[in-house]
Amino acid sequence: MNFTGRVDLLRSLHEGLMSDVTAVVPHALHGLGGVGKTQLAIEYAHRFRKEYELVWWIPADQPMLVKSSLAGLARELRLPIGPSTGVEEAAEAALDALRRGVPYTKWLLIFDNADEVDEINAIAPRGPGHVLITSRNHSWQGVVDTLAVDVFPRAESIEFLIKRVPHGITETEADELAEALGDLPLALEQAGALQVETTISVKDYLRLLDEQTTRLLGTNKPADYPLSMSAAWALSVSQLTTRMPIAVELLRCCAFFGPEPIPRDLFDRLPPEFAEGSMLAETLADPILTSRILRELGRYALVRIDSASRTLQIHRLVQALLRDELSAEEREAMRKEAHLLLAAAADPYEPDDTAAWPRFGGLLGHVTPSQVDQSEDPRIRRFTLTMMRYLYSSGDFKSAQSLVDRCIAQWRATSGDDDQNVLSAQRHQAIILRELGNLGESFSLNQRLLVRMREVLGEDHEETLLLLNSHGADLRFRGDFAAALQHDLDSLRRHEEVFGREHRRTLRAMNNLALDYLLLGDYERALDLQSTTFRLQRRPGSQVSSMNVLSSWNGLARVVRLSGKYREACDIGEDAYEFGVEQLGVEHPWTLRVAKDLSIAKRRDAKADEALDLAHRTFELQVRNVGMHHPDTLAAGLCLANAQRTSGETAEALALLEELTPQFETMYGADHPFKYGCDTNLALLLRVNGRAEEAVRVDNQALDGLDRRLTRDHHFTLTCAINLASDLAEMGEHERARRLGENTLSRLRELLGPDHPLTLAAAANLVVDLTQLGEKNEAEALKADTLQRYLRVLGPGHPDVDVAEQRRRLDFDFDPPVL
């Protein structure tokens, strides 16, 4: 681009950006559609590319695309982001890196078509780099530094046309044509392309243009559709209709996609299921004809084809004009055609298959503009449900929530509350609510929904079974572990009857049942079931997603750890963590859950430094990704506090626990086992920080709560009882400590066996109490037996063995499992 006016604009833009040394204010190019704002931004990025270490383009007309593009930027920045990391966390990581100038200080972000001022202004990072915005919205004035982009000066219009139509137009003719087209760059491009393709004379073009303008004057075009553009577009379409009418049909279909790049694969042969009712099915069945059509559209400048990315793109103004030319019936037919192409492109890919996420990402920009939520076609509703699941599986919970809420409202209005797709969308809605930490809302919705699905769809319908499996998690989150076990026993039985014992959905139900057994302290059954699940999920052809494999793998590591086999748990956990990082990325929710459990295993296996480092990193990532008020963040926070205590950072650990404790009550309620477990940890830290009297009070309350919710014969409750005995001993109440310790040891031997590390800790502590009370013979006998077992279970040199040998007290803490 060598036109003087545009060069001056570029120079002014460059001077403005470079003069703002603090880069606290973005810069915006604003003007009517078709004046070339986007092209100007492209040209700026091209001309001054060497002045930046990074240039990144962000389509900004849809919020979900902004986050998706920023997530891609996170990988370009080589942040610790895996290929399948959640969109929200990856986007925030990218913005944080830009603000800090790491790894680049000289960066340029271009937000294209950013018409939502408040939303984009809140996202645009302020840092050492530059932000450039293109928009039709004049409201950017006063918010950022703005530069108006107008039509070409006449001299540049003439120069453009002469270059676009070499040897086919004189300067006088170019002047006449520019006058008729109002010097609008996009209209000039359309006119030039048409003349190149058809060799139409300028005289004939102007005559036809006048006819189109006269016709268009009566159609009341909005202000954003310049009449010159409308006329030029109409003339190009008219000529193309004569030359290749089928191309116009495909072009009209493109008008109902978004203005973002359209994957070329959308125009492949339609599968039989989607070919039925499609006007374009016969055309698309001929790949040679399809290629000719797309190339013809490109030659007429009606679409822009990018061979490298295998996409095509149509200007939003051309789309709007195409839609306005159609009757209501024609618009509905073309919108349906676009829906069928989108749905066919997504079928048969699974939305939780990470390998398919790039394909779904390419469709995402067309979901909202094509108004898929308006369709009553079952095929399109299935596609929309798939996109919901893709969004929350990839971590973009806010976009998923927006789509599901919109669809539920629309589908209810047209199909009623009992429509299967409405019920399915509500099932997705409950999952999204739970992932966002709204546990109460998720439980209530699923409880009502399960009753309704059973009535409407039947007990053994696929949707009912999917919800049945999901609702078990709601019960676990409520702390109703025994109820969850009964629920999941029924769920597994029904899954086996309907899907078969080794179906991926059945294996997911089996994994949940293993977790129920673990929560109730039945480690033997949990280990057997978890091992079977993991083995079947890992077999070739299981079709189990990476997330479900990782969940099962982590469950296996966790039950091995809770069974007292710490070294084996570390080995399994390391393998699982490496798999998570490779398949899902270091910041994926499931990878972080595995990291938290691995830190616990390392702490139990006396690898305190490694445990503390991993706990720190995991907690920081959780806070950054989902904030403090989230179950995963609270669990990671407890893990970190426990690691800090083990490493001697008792004051820091207490400060963290005092911050987390009220949030556990807010998240789970005042009478939840996890809340009492957190209180147990708080009491432990109060005691080791010299506040034993407070510790006794807190542990007493926690023990009463755990007795009520789980009974005394539960490993959570007995862990609290061990610590309360230590509180009492610290207060000099050795007889009470002894009685509680003896009762606790007896129960643990029955529950977990005499060789479990928790049982041995209770025994070692009782040795201390017996010694304090002068029961020397009994103390020595118990000590000898305990040390012999400790050495066999944990081996010499383990800190717990050394503490028992020195007749000091052992402390055990609570770590909430992933539910």
Side-chain angles (χ1 to χ4, degrees):
M1 183 187 298
N2 297 311
F3 308 123
T4 305
R6 297 291 154 137
V7 171
D8 289 342
L9 275 173
L10 288 171
R11 187 179 298 114
S12 297
L13 177 61
H14 183 248
E15 290 173 355
L17 286 168
M18 293 302 170
S19 65
D20 187 2
V21 293
T22 59
V24 295
V25 179
H27 288 63
L29 300 170
H30 70 83
L32 287 176
V35 295
K37 301 180 297 296
T38 296
Q39 289 300 318
L40 196 63
I42 293 172
E43 183 66 18
Y44 176 86
H46 174 72
R47 286 202 177 205
F48 301 106
R49 179 67 181 84
K50 292 183 179 179
E51 298 187 28
Y52 295 99
E53 298 168 284
L54 170 80
V55 176
W56 198 255
W57 191 274
I58 301 170
D61 58 335
Q62 294 185 62
M64 65 177 67
L65 294 184
V66 174
K67 294 294 179 67
S68 179
S69 180
L70 287 170
L73 174 58
R75 298 177 185 100
E76 180 71 19
L77 293 170
R78 297 182 181 176
L79 301 179
I81 298 292
S84 309
T85 299
V87 172
E88 288 283 342
E89 57 263 39
E92 185 51 44
L95 291 172
D96 180 64
L98 294 175
R99 293 183 193 108
R100 293 184 291 109
V102 178
Y104 304 122
T105 57
K106 297 178 180 178
W107 47 261
L108 172 66
L109 253 61
I110 301 174
F111 289 86
D112 188 37
N113 289 303
D115 291 335
E116 296 297 328
V117 177
D118 293 339
E119 194 168 283
I120 300 302
N121 192 43
I123 292 173
R126 272 61 168 176
H130 296 149
V131 172
L132 177 58
I133 294 162
T134 74
S135 178
R136 291 172 296 175
N137 192 339
H138 290 255
S139 297
W140 281 105
Q141 296 180 69
V143 177
V144 300
D145 287 343
T146 57
L147 194 62
V149 182
D150 205 345
V151 297
F152 278 158
R154 178 56 51 79
E156 292 186 4
S157 296
I158 294 170
E159 183 183 354
F160 175 88
L161 287 169
I162 289 174
K163 288 185 175 181
R164 186 67 177 85
V165 192
H167 314 298
I169 191 171
T170 66
E171 186 171 331
T172 300
E173 289 173 328
D175 185 31
E176 292 175 356
L177 195 54
E179 174 69 26
L181 295 171
D183 298 296
L184 186 73
L186 184 57
L188 295 170
E189 170 63 18
Q190 292 263 281
L194 182 63
Q195 289 185 283
V196 168
E197 288 304 310
T198 64
T199 65
I200 186 174
S201 70
V202 172
K203 180 180 179 181
D204 286 341
Y205 185 93
L206 289 171
R207 176 179 55 78
L208 293 171
L209 187 67
D210 182 62
E211 292 174 5
Q212 294 291 349
T213 302
T214 301
R215 181 173 65 85
L216 292 167
L217 278 171
T219 61
N220 193 28
K221 296 291 179 188
D224 270 0
Y225 305 179
L227 189 60
S228 56
M229 177 62 231
S230 303
W233 156 81
L235 185 52
S236 293
V237 171
S238 175
Q239 294 293 309
L240 183 60
T241 301
T242 301
R243 181 165 173 171
M244 197 177 194
I246 189 61
V248 178
E249 289 301 297
L250 193 145
L251 179 67
R252 285 172 176 158
C253 177
C254 290
F256 291 88
F257 292 118
E260 310 310 325
I262 304 168
R264 171 63 178 81
D265 292 349
L266 259 68
F267 304 100
D268 288 345
R269 177 193 298 268
L270 287 173
E273 180 185 358
F274 299 97
E276 183 180 347
S278 167
M279 297 180 293
L280 293 174
E282 186 176 346
T283 300
L284 299 179
D286 185 343
I288 297 175
L289 176 59
T290 303
S291 294
R292 279 185 54 211
I293 289 171
L294 294 177
R295 295 297 168 184
E296 198 75 5
L297 293 175
R299 282 192 286 267
Y300 275 76
L302 292 166
V303 302
R304 187 171 73 243
I305 296 174
D306 187 333
S307 300
S309 64
R310 297 199 75 246
T311 61
L312 58 117
Q313 196 166 8
I314 179 170
H315 194 280
R316 66 186 64 242
L317 187 54
V318 174
Q319 288 180 310
L321 293 166
L322 282 162
R323 292 193 297 267
D324 283 351
E325 284 295 301
L326 300 175
S327 67
E329 293 76 13
E330 290 171 327
R331 282 198 295 271
E332 185 60 32
M334 281 302 170
R335 182 175 284 110
K336 179 180 178 180
E337 199 70 32
H339 291 165
L340 288 172
L341 296 184
L342 287 169
D347 186 76
Y349 298 92
E350 288 288 337
D352 57 358
D353 177 5
T354 55
W357 285 2
R359 170 174 285 268
F360 287 114
L363 305 179
L364 187 60
H366 308 287
V367 169
T368 298
S370 69
Q371 300 177 343
V372 292
D373 57 300
Q374 303 290 317
S375 176
E376 298 180 38
D377 188 322
R379 297 169 294 181
I380 308 310
R381 287 192 172 178
R382 284 199 304 272
F383 162 72
T384 309
L385 290 167
T386 294
M387 293 306 296
M388 291 176 196
R389 189 169 154 208
Y390 157 70
L391 283 167
Y392 68 71
S393 293
S394 63
D396 192 353
F397 300 118
K398 291 181 180 178
S399 294
Q401 187 175 38
S402 174
L403 180 59
V404 75
D405 289 349
R406 192 165 66 247
C407 287
I408 289 173
Q410 176 63 30
W411 295 354
R412 268 179 167 163
T414 57
S415 304
D417 289 344
D418 292 341
D419 176 73
Q420 180 179 328
N421 293 303
V422 173
L423 298 174
S424 299
Q426 288 180 290
R427 177 175 62 82
H428 289 307
Q429 185 181 42
I431 293 171
I432 295 164
L433 286 169
R434 190 166 62 221
E435 288 290 346
L436 289 170
N438 300 321
L439 305 182
E441 290 183 64
S442 175
F443 176 83
S444 298
L445 175 56
N446 273 341
Q447 194 174 45
R448 297 191 308 271
L449 190 59
L450 187 56
V451 172
R452 201 72 196 132
M453 278 194 179
R454 282 170 168 160
E455 292 177 356
V456 175
L457 304 177
E459 289 276 2
D460 294 330
H461 191 278
E462 178 180 349
E463 274 296 325
T464 307
L465 291 175
L466 288 170
L467 178 61
L468 187 70
N469 191 41
S470 179
H471 193 41
D474 294 321
L475 294 169
R476 288 190 291 275
F477 271 111
R478 286 172 65 87
D480 296 334
F481 301 147
L485 174 65
Q486 295 306 312
H487 175 94
D488 287 338
L489 281 168
D490 179 60
S491 174
L492 178 59
R493 178 181 62 80
R494 292 183 179 280
H495 275 74
E496 288 177 339
E497 290 174 355
V498 174
F499 299 117
R501 188 171 183 271
E502 298 187 4
H503 191 277
R504 56 191 171 87
R505 288 175 178 156
T506 305
L507 295 178
R508 194 163 56 197
M510 193 182 296
N511 184 67
N512 290 342
L513 185 60
L515 176 56
D516 295 329
Y517 281 123
L518 180 142
L519 287 166
L520 291 170
D522 192 341
Y523 297 147
E524 186 175 346
R525 285 189 186 178
L527 180 59
D528 179 63
L529 200 55
Q530 194 73 74
S531 299
T532 301
T533 305
F534 181 60
R535 175 177 55 80
L536 291 173
Q537 286 182 328
R538 290 280 284 171
R539 77 192 192 287
S542 71
Q543 296 184 319
V544 176
S545 71
S546 297
M547 284 175 288
N548 286 331
V549 169
L550 187 57
S551 169
S552 183
W553 205 332
N554 188 53
L556 182 61
R558 183 172 52 229
V559 70
V560 168
R561 166 173 58 81
L562 288 170
S563 299
K565 300 174 182 178
Y566 301 146
R567 188 154 301 169
E568 291 91 332
C570 284
D571 292 339
I572 298 170
E574 290 278 12
D575 287 344
Y577 183 62
E578 289 172 3
F579 175 83
V581 171
E582 177 188 354
Q583 294 292 317
L584 303 175
V586 73
E587 292 196 34
H588 190 278
W590 266 110
T591 306
L592 291 175
R593 290 163 186 162
V594 172
K596 186 266 296 181
D597 275 340
L598 178 57
S599 173
I600 300 168
K602 287 178 177 291
R603 186 172 81 245
R604 301 287 194 216
D605 196 36
K607 299 180 176 72
D609 290 343
E610 293 179 37
L612 180 61
D613 179 62
L614 186 55
H616 261 301
R617 285 187 280 120
T618 304
F619 180 63
E620 288 168 1
L621 288 172
Q622 289 287 14
V623 172
R624 189 180 78 186
N625 293 346
V626 294
M628 284 294 292
H629 191 70
H630 192 281
D632 288 350
T633 307
L634 297 182
L638 279 196
C639 175
L640 174 57
N642 291 335
Q644 288 173 324
R645 178 186 60 79
T646 304
S647 298
E649 299 176 6
T650 56
E652 294 86 346
L654 178 58
L656 178 56
L657 251 295
E658 288 178 327
E659 180 184 0
L660 291 176
T661 300
Q663 297 195 49
F664 263 85
E665 182 170 341
T666 301
M667 175 63 66
Y668 294 104
D671 193 36
H672 194 285
F674 282 11
K675 187 266 182 186
Y676 295 130
C678 179
D679 288 346
T680 298
N681 288 4
L682 176 63
L684 169 55
L685 284 164
L686 288 169
R687 170 162 46 83
V688 299
N689 278 279
R691 296 160 63 179
E693 188 173 351
E694 293 177 69
V696 170
R697 176 181 57 79
V698 173
D699 261 336
N700 265 319
Q701 292 174 349
L703 188 59
D704 287 344
L706 290 167
D707 278 343
R708 186 171 58 255
R709 291 302 306 270
L710 302 177
T711 78
R712 182 60 62 94
D713 293 315
H714 191 283
H715 59 287
F716 289 179
T717 314
L718 293 171
T719 298
C720 181
I722 290 174
N723 288 350
L724 177 56
S726 295
D727 300 338
L728 294 170
E730 185 72 16
M731 295 292 293
E733 299 187 40
H734 298 292
E735 182 57 39
R736 285 184 63 192
R738 171 190 176 168
R739 289 199 303 271
L740 180 57
E742 287 177 337
N743 180 273
T744 301
L745 177 58
S746 174
R747 291 174 183 273
L748 281 168
R749 283 172 172 166
E750 183 68 24
L751 180 69
L752 302 179
D755 290 338
H756 192 281
L758 190 61
T759 306
L760 296 176
N765 286 0
L766 183 57
V767 168
V768 179
D769 292 327
L770 291 169
T771 302
Q772 286 287 336
L773 292 169
E775 304 287 349
K776 183 176 180 182
N777 291 337
E778 189 177 351
E780 288 298 330
L782 182 57
K783 179 183 177 183
D785 178 71
T786 302
L787 284 176
Q788 182 182 20
R789 294 175 187 277
Y790 251 142
L791 287 169
R792 186 169 64 249
V793 173
L794 298 181
H798 192 284
D800 288 5
V801 179
D802 295 340
V803 169
E805 173 67 39
Q806 297 162 19
R807 295 182 191 245
R808 293 187 289 117
R809 302 194 78 89
L810 283 155
D811 296 313
F812 263 73
D813 42 40
F814 164 78
D815 286 287
V818 178
L819 298 179

